[in-house]
């Protein structure tokens, strides 16, 4: 892999590299990148991985190689303390809450000593804390060069350091946010580099489409209303009836939410004038009311815009919100999909179906018809995309097609682990069908018996939040006051759940059984005997009723292709590989993977899904499964 990365850096162009667990892909791309002497951009999927790369892997290699390399860490503005908003936070109504006030006091004390302003430094600050939006800025409310704290701004300091660095570590969200900003004519946020490396590249497409479309949310409207009212009463009291203007935008946001009615939660398809099941005339009226309220707010703010820079930014926000509301009254762009996210708040969303055009034209600098040479990007830059999971065929089509990288060089490096001896796969055949109402209870029963036999060390991965709740609640009832502690996603912060699960039964504690969904299918690293059993409840097919899934399926069918074979099965294969990847993290690990979906053994596509998994040995029957668990427990008990 390192040789392929070095060659790609020399030649330019794109390299898609799938490197199995245990390959050491981080060092395999870092070493040639550092030795190249080129300016390098490294992008990871999450801020946690970003911190690990910048704080551990990079410094270690720079020291070993003895290179005079300057490195920098750059995150989105929401990760940094905003000094101006911290100063204003005491006037916010939320600061009257005792717990919020106590956390704000901690932030203020930390603000006196921090150099970077990175909130990750502040131990114990929950990422869901209501204090974070009070002390951080967004692209909407940042005052930019007009801010009284501009010179001391932590975001600007991080950007200056990035511009002066040889190696910059960012995340995919920031990369695509910057692409969107450049396309709207604003200044570039990220340095120009010769080599760009995307780790955990399998998340690129889903991350990219979030930023390359448009959205309007009731939370955005209410945040704008709160900021406008606070600035108006503090800086221009009596010059405008701020309460009346704020009430109008707040009412428009509320009426937009009410226009959806009791549609439950989730994603609503929106293919015509209104989302499915919603009366079009009332919906269009509610959207127009939002537009009018924002335009009236902009007119009111314009009368005091010279008083403080806060009002200039508020005026821009009002104009932008009115423009977005107007956009959503017109038909959806061709090649895009539109839907509504319904929850406590409402989000109107429009996005492209994939990032292929953006990658070809914005990154690889190729014309729309794709007529450039396949060997190299038109500007001579090198683009490297790597992950443990990029597809289930030799061309990595699952990744390359939506990312516009069909012409890239492809490399697949297998895992060095001895899976037949380290891991086993069990497909129980006596379970209800996946759509049977009793399926989740049967999974919980199997998980309870297996975890009890193993002494915990079990992770149950579910494909839906409904199954997460059903299985989690069932297991917690079974083990009330029992020998195992059942941890359920959502009941604790993710970091705390993982820390407790890693502890297992050490220090005299109970063994652990973790039930999780969504983000736990990947990026969770629990090496050693703390995790020896992974149970997957169902094959992770995309939800067919999801508007984005539906639109992508329709596009494939319009091309004469099979949506099931070319979209649903590859999606399930990649997600299955990710989930299975939680089990074996190093050469000494041992464990069992259980897939509680009878279709894996009975349907024709099951062979394709099996082929996507590491080559584990098969356990044919329940006695074999029980014996494997007993052997794992005995082996763990024999360790010092």
């Amino acid at each position: 892999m390192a040789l392929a990365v070095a060659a790609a850096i020399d030649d330019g162009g794109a390299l898609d590299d799938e490197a199995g667990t245990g390959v050491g892909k981080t060092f395999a791309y870092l070493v040639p990148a550092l030795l190249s002497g080129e300016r390098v951009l490294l992008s990871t999927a999450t801020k946690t991985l970003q911190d690990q790369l910048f704080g551990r892997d990079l410094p270690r290699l720079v020291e070993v190689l003895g290179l005079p390399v300057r490195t920098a860490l750059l995150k989105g503005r929401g990760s940094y303390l905003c000094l101006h908003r911290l100063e204003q936070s005491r006037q916010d109504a939320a600061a009257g809450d005792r717990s919020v006030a106590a956390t704000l006091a901690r932030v203020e004390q930390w603000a006196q000593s921090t150099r970077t302003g990175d909130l990750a430094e502040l131990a114990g600050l929950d990422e869901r804390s209501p204090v974070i939006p009070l002390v951080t800025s967004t692209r909407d409310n940042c005052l930019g060069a007009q801010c009284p704290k501009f010179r001391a701004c932590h975001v600007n300091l991080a950007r200056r350091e990035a511009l002066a660095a040889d190696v910059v570590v960012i995340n995919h969200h920031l990369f695509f946010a910057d692409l969107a900003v450049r396309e709207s004519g604003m200044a570039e946020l990220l340095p120009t580099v010769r080599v760009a490396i995307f780790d955990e590249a399998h998340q690129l497409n889903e991350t990219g489409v979030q930023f390359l479309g448009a959205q309007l949310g009731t939370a955005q409207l209410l945040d704008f209303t709160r900021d406008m009212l606070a600035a108006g009463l503090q800086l221009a009291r009596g010059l405008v009836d701020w309460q009346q203007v704020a009430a109008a935008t707040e009412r428009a946001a509320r009426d937009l939410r009410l226009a959806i009615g009791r549609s439950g939660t989730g994603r609503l398809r929106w293919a015509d004038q209104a989302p499915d099941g919603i009366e079009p005339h009332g919906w269009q009226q509610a959207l127009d009311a939002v537009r009018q309220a924002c335009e009236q707010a902009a007119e009111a703010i314009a009368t005091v815009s010279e008083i403080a820079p806060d009002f200039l930014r508020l005026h821009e926000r009002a104009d932008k919100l009115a423009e977005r509301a107007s956009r959503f009254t017109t038909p959806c762009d061709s090649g895009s999909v539109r839907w509504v996210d319904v929850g406590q708040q409402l989000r109107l969303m429009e996005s492209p179906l994939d990032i292929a055009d953006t990658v070809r034209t914005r990154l690889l600098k190729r014309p729309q018809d794709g007529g450039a040479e396949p060997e190299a990007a038109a500007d001579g830059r090198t683009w490297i995309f790597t992950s443990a999971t990029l597809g289930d065929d030799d061309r990595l089509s699952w990744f390359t097609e939506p990312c516009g990288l069909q012409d890239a060089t492809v490399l697949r490096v297998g895992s060095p682990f001895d899976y037949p001896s380290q891991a086993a796969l069990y497909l129980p055949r006596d379970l209800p069908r996946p759509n049977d109402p009793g399926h989740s209870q049967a999974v919980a029963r199997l998980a309870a018996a297996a975890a009890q036999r193993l002494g915990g060390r079990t992770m149950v991965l579910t494909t839906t939040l409904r199954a997460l709740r059903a299985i989690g609640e069932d297991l917690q009832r079974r083990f009330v006051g029992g020998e195992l502690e059942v941890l359920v996603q959502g009941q604790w912060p993710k970091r705390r759940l993982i820390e407790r699960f890693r502890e297992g039964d050490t220090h005299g504690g109970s063994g652990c059984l973790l039930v999780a969904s969504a983000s736990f299918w990947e990026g969770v690293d629990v090496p050693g005997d703390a995790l020896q059993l992974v149970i997957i409840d169902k094959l992770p097919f995309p939800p067919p009723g999801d508007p984005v899934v539906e639109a992508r399926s329709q596009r494939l069918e319009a091309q004469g292709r099979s949506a099931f074979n070319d979209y649903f099965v590859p999606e399930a294969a990649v997600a299955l590989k990710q989930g299975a990847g939680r089990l074996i993290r190093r050469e000494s690990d041992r464990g069992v993977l259980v897939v509680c979906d009878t279709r894996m053994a009975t349907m024709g596509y099951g062979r394709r899904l099996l082929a996507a998994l590491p080559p584990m040995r098969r356990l044919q029957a329940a006695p074999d499964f029980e014996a494997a668990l007993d052997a794992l427990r005995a082996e763990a008990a024999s360790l010092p």
Side-chain angles (χ1 to χ4, degrees), residues 80-404:
Y80 297 99
L81 174 69
C82 173
L83 298 171
H84 178 59
R85 289 183 65 79
L86 176 63
E87 197 172 80
Q88 291 184 319
S89 62
R90 285 299 180 188
Q91 278 79 48
D92 195 288
D97 181 275
R98 183 174 298 177
S99 64
V100 170
T103 305
L104 269 177
R106 284 186 57 221
V107 173
E108 287 174 336
Q109 183 177 8
W110 166 74
Q112 304 302 313
S113 58
T114 180
R115 190 191 72 81
T116 68
D118 187 342
L119 292 172
E121 296 176 359
L122 197 52
L125 180 64
D126 190 335
E127 59 188 15
R128 299 172 296 181
S129 170
V131 168
I132 290 179
L134 298 181
V135 299
T136 59
S137 68
T138 65
R139 190 186 306 163
D140 286 336
N141 62 32
C142 175
L143 301 181
Q146 302 299 318
C147 179
K149 303 291 185 181
F150 182 73
R151 291 180 63 84
C153 174
H154 291 299
V155 173
N156 288 329
L157 172 63
R159 289 176 180 170
R160 287 196 296 270
E161 290 183 349
L163 288 169
D166 303 302
V167 180
V168 184
V169 183
I170 64 166
N171 59 65
H172 302 339
H173 288 81
L174 180 60
F175 180 82
F176 281 104
D178 185 58
L179 266 189
V181 167
R182 291 181 204 164
E183 290 187 3
S184 65
M186 295 178 64
E188 293 188 5
L189 302 181
L190 301 172
T192 301
V193 294
R194 164 74 170 75
V195 178
I197 301 173
F198 296 87
D199 200 347
E200 302 298 315
H202 64 279
Q203 293 194 21
L204 272 183
N205 186 52
E206 296 306 324
T207 301
V209 295
Q210 295 176 36
F211 290 94
L212 299 176
Q215 64 173 283
L216 173 68
T218 52
Q220 287 175 296
L221 292 165
L222 295 174
D223 286 346
F224 164 73
T225 301
R226 183 189 66 192
D227 292 345
M228 174 178 62
L229 184 60
L233 295 179
Q234 184 180 353
L235 303 171
R237 184 184 290 270
L239 299 180
V240 171
D241 189 342
W242 296 109
Q243 296 285 2
Q244 182 181 12
V245 176
T249 55
E250 185 175 345
R251 184 168 55 252
R254 184 181 66 246
D255 290 347
L256 184 66
R257 177 64 183 87
L258 291 174
I260 288 291
R262 299 181 180 276
S263 300
T265 59
R267 289 179 164 187
L268 282 184
R269 181 175 171 271
W270 182 358
D272 203 354
Q273 287 184 308
D276 286 359
I278 307 303
E279 197 277 311
H281 181 68
W283 177 253
Q284 291 290 322
Q285 276 191 323
L287 274 174
D288 199 52
V290 170
R291 177 188 59 78
Q292 290 182 27
C294 292
E295 287 176 349
Q296 290 165 5
E299 291 173 5
I301 294 166
T303 65
V304 295
S305 59
E306 296 182 2
I307 292 178
D310 305 61
F311 293 117
L312 291 172
R313 194 70 187 105
L314 284 166
H315 189 275
E316 291 175 8
R317 290 172 69 185
D319 281 344
K320 186 177 295 184
L321 289 169
E323 180 186 327
R324 289 176 186 168
S326 180
R327 171 174 178 164
F328 279 104
T329 62
T330 61
C332 181
D333 290 344
S334 175
S336 295
V337 58
R338 185 176 286 180
W339 73 95
V340 177
D341 270 338
V342 183
Q344 281 191 322
Q345 302 292 343
L346 202 66
R347 285 198 308 159
L348 285 58
M349 306 291 296
E350 182 179 312
S351 76
L353 296 180
D354 58 39
I355 63 172
D357 284 344
T358 297
V359 169
R360 281 193 291 260
T361 59
R362 300 286 298 173
L363 273 61
L364 303 181
K365 305 295 185 184
R366 294 177 183 168
Q368 286 282 2
D369 62 4
E373 309 80 25
E375 294 82 9
D379 62 357
R381 286 202 240 180
T382 296
W383 302 90
I384 294 168
F385 306 89
T386 186
S387 173
T389 311
L390 288 179
D392 70 330
D393 64 3
D394 290 340
R395 292 300 305 166
L396 304 177
S397 303
W398 175 86
F399 173 72
T400 58
E401 284 191 15
C403 292

